């Protein structure tokens, strides 16, 4: 009898299956599905968003790149995963994008120019965003020499993120979804695009707040108001200094670190 009991015990799955019904599109439990807030129909744009995503982003339960993919017509937002680009899995697909004169890289270097100053009459453009935390984004950029020769752009005066259930490093840091939406609003000369594309994020945040989540202020805000509870580390200090001296804003198109 003891042997049977032991066999029953070791036969129990340590990770029981999630029995909650899930949405076929966003793969989230139906009760927290944000798909009803997606644009209907999906938005048609001339530009293409190309996301270079760090593998760690797949593990985030609240990642926003999928909202962008579902909010735009198929093919207008493509995601490639890796720690350096191109790699064996995506070299053929990315070769044409990297070699195109119509490709822009959103990256806050000293050589980047405001996206608002790009000649939109010469579009449409391919806009590359790096999806990951700032250290991950810098690592991807450093290990991908092909990115260094692309025309680099940045966003100016973007405001504060609506992703209020996550702590942003600085006041101007946006989620990948918000960054892409703002860029498309500029490139397509359609200011209303941002609001339409970020609506699923508003739905997600509202649900979380209604169920016990709290609104987060950025680390920069907390430090300015003497409310930051931890010593300021070297990495955060460098990020704040970089954002203030290089482009007047934190790196955009880069997800916040939790």
């Amino acid at each position: 009898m003891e042997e049977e009991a032991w066999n029953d015990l070791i036969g129990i799955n340590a990770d029981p299956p999630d029995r909650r019904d899930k949405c076929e599109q966003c793969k989230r439990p139906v009760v927290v599905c944000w798909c009803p807030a997606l644009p209907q129909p999906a938005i048609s744009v001339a530009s293409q968003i190309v996301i270079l995503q760090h593998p760690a982003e797949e593990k985030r339960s609240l990642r926003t790149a999928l909202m962008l993919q579902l909010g735009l017509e198929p093919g207008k937002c493509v995601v490639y995963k890796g720690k350096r680009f191109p790699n064996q899995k995506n070299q053929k697909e990315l070769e044409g994008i990297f070699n195109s004169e119509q490709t822009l890289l959103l990256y806050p270097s000293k050589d980047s120019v405001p996206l608002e100053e790009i000649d939109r009459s010469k579009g449409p453009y391919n806009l590359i965003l790096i999806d990951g935390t700032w250290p991950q984004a810098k690592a991807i950029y450093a290990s991908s020499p092909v990115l260094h020769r692309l025309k680099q752009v940045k966003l100016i005066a973007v405001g504060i993120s609506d992703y209020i259930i996550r702590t942003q490093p600085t006041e101007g840091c946006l989620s990948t979804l918000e960054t892409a939406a703002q860029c498309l609003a500029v490139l397509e000369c359609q200011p209303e695009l941002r609001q339409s594309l970020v609506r699923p994020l508003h739905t997600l945040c509202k649900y979380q707040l209604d169920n016990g989540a709290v609104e987060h202020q950025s680390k920069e805000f907390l430090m300015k108001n003497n409310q930051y509870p931890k010593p300021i580390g070297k990495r955060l200090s460098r990020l704040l200094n970089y954002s203030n001296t290089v482009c007047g804003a934190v790196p955009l198109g880069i997800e916040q670190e939790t």
Side-chain angles (χ1 to χ4, degrees):
M1 183 175 295
E2 291 183 0
E3 183 177 352
E4 290 180 1
W6 172 250
N7 289 335
D8 290 340
L9 180 62
I10 62 177
I12 297 176
N13 191 341
D15 298 308
D18 189 346
R19 293 190 174 88
R20 294 178 295 180
D21 293 333
K22 291 189 176 181
C23 170
E24 290 297 322
Q25 277 200 122
C26 67
K27 308 303 180 184
R28 293 178 59 79
V30 173
V31 67
V32 291
C33 169
W34 37 254
C35 290
L38 288 168
Q40 297 295 336
I43 296 175
S44 174
V45 292
S47 310
Q48 182 184 49
I49 300 295
V50 180
I51 296 178
L52 306 182
Q53 188 177 76
H54 191 280
E57 283 300 305
E58 287 188 281
K59 300 177 182 179
R60 290 178 179 270
S61 60
L62 300 180
R63 58 191 185 276
T64 64
L66 183 58
M67 293 179 180
L68 182 65
Q69 283 185 290
L70 295 176
L72 296 174
E73 281 191 339
K76 289 302 181 179
C77 175
V78 291
V79 179
Y80 298 98
K81 297 178 176 62
K83 293 183 179 181
R84 61 174 310 215
F85 297 91
N87 54 51
Q88 291 181 344
K89 293 182 178 179
N90 53 49
Q91 185 166 0
K92 290 183 178 180
E93 294 95 327
L94 285 173
E95 185 175 2
I97 295 173
F98 288 149
N99 291 332
S100 173
E101 294 183 355
Q102 299 302 109
T103 296
L104 306 172
L105 172 67
L106 189 74
Y107 195 80
S109 70
K110 293 181 179 180
D111 297 323
S112 62
V113 300
L115 181 65
E116 294 82 353
E117 296 179 6
I118 293 295
D119 187 351
R120 280 159 282 185
S121 68
K122 294 182 179 180
Y125 292 99
N126 307 309
L127 182 67
I128 296 177
L129 276 64
I130 301 177
D131 187 18
T133 64
W134 179 226
Q136 291 166 351
K138 285 201 300 183
I140 288 175
Y141 181 80
S143 62
S144 305
V146 68
L147 298 180
H148 301 182
R149 60 179 174 81
L150 297 176
K151 186 175 182 63
Q152 297 177 11
V153 295
K154 60 187 176 183
L155 280 173
I156 300 297
V158 296
I160 298 176
S161 174
D162 292 328
Y163 202 178
I164 56 177
I165 57 174
R166 284 291 180 268
T167 301
Q168 305 282 11
T170 72
E171 290 291 90
C173 189
L174 303 181
S175 67
T176 301
L177 170 68
E178 293 171 302
T179 302
Q182 181 66 28
C183 288
L184 286 173
V186 173
L187 291 175
E188 301 289 318
C189 299
Q190 298 182 49
E192 69 277 6
L193 279 183
R194 171 167 177 162
Q195 183 64 24
S196 298
L197 287 169
V198 302
R199 195 170 292 121
L201 180 62
H202 295 164
T203 298
L204 170 66
C205 291
K206 183 179 185 305
Y207 177 85
Q208 298 288 344
L209 292 172
D210 289 346
N211 287 273
V214 296
E215 186 171 336
H216 290 224
Q217 300 288 352
S218 72
K219 293 179 181 179
E220 180 183 15
F221 175 89
L222 295 176
M223 285 185 283
K224 286 181 177 179
N225 291 274
N226 297 318
Q227 297 174 14
Y228 194 63
K230 302 177 183 178
I232 301 175
K234 292 182 180 179
R235 188 169 67 184
L236 180 56
S237 179
R238 285 197 300 268
L239 176 58
L240 290 171
N241 181 65
Y242 187 87
S243 66
N244 288 327
T245 58
V246 175
C247 58
V250 78
L252 300 173
I254 296 170
E255 290 281 12
Q256 65 281 4
E257 197 166 6
T258 55

